Amino acid sequence: SLPRMANVRIMVYDMLGRAVSSRTLYGLSAGRQGYLYDASSLASGAYFYRVQMLDMASGEVIGTHAGKMMLVK
């Protein structure tokens, strides 16, 4: 959920902390948003993700959410 219009950066990390994927979504409207992540290039296992909300004018981080996910193929 975005408090205001923002750019959003989604980073995915493996268990060793290496970035395996990065996407930036530009100009998302305020409110609840969804994103379908294509994990077809990744192996089954545990991953961590970080979602950063970025101010559209300055690029400054205005919010962050992190978590873990399990990929089962």
Side-chain angles (χ1 to χ4, degrees):
S1 183
L2 299 174
R4 63 181 188 213
M5 191 172 197
N7 297 327
V8 174
R9 180 182 304 137
I10 303 168
M11 300 283 297
V12 177
Y13 301 91
D14 65 13
M15 291 297 292
L16 298 176
R18 298 178 294 205
V20 296
S21 177
S22 175
R23 303 281 186 270
T24 302
L25 308 172
Y26 297 96
L28 295 180
S29 302
R32 190 174 180 144
Q33 300 290 333
Y35 178 73
L36 183 61
Y37 180 72
D38 179 10
S40 61
S41 64
L42 300 177
S44 294
Y47 293 89
F48 298 97
Y49 65 87
R50 182 176 63 197
V51 179
Q52 294 179 314
M53 293 167 276
L54 309 168
D55 182 74
M56 291 189 53
S58 68
E60 179 180 325
V61 176
I62 57 174
T64 301
H65 174 77
K68 56 185 170 180
M69 61 184 175
M70 184 64 105
L71 176 62
V72 179
K73 289 188 173 183

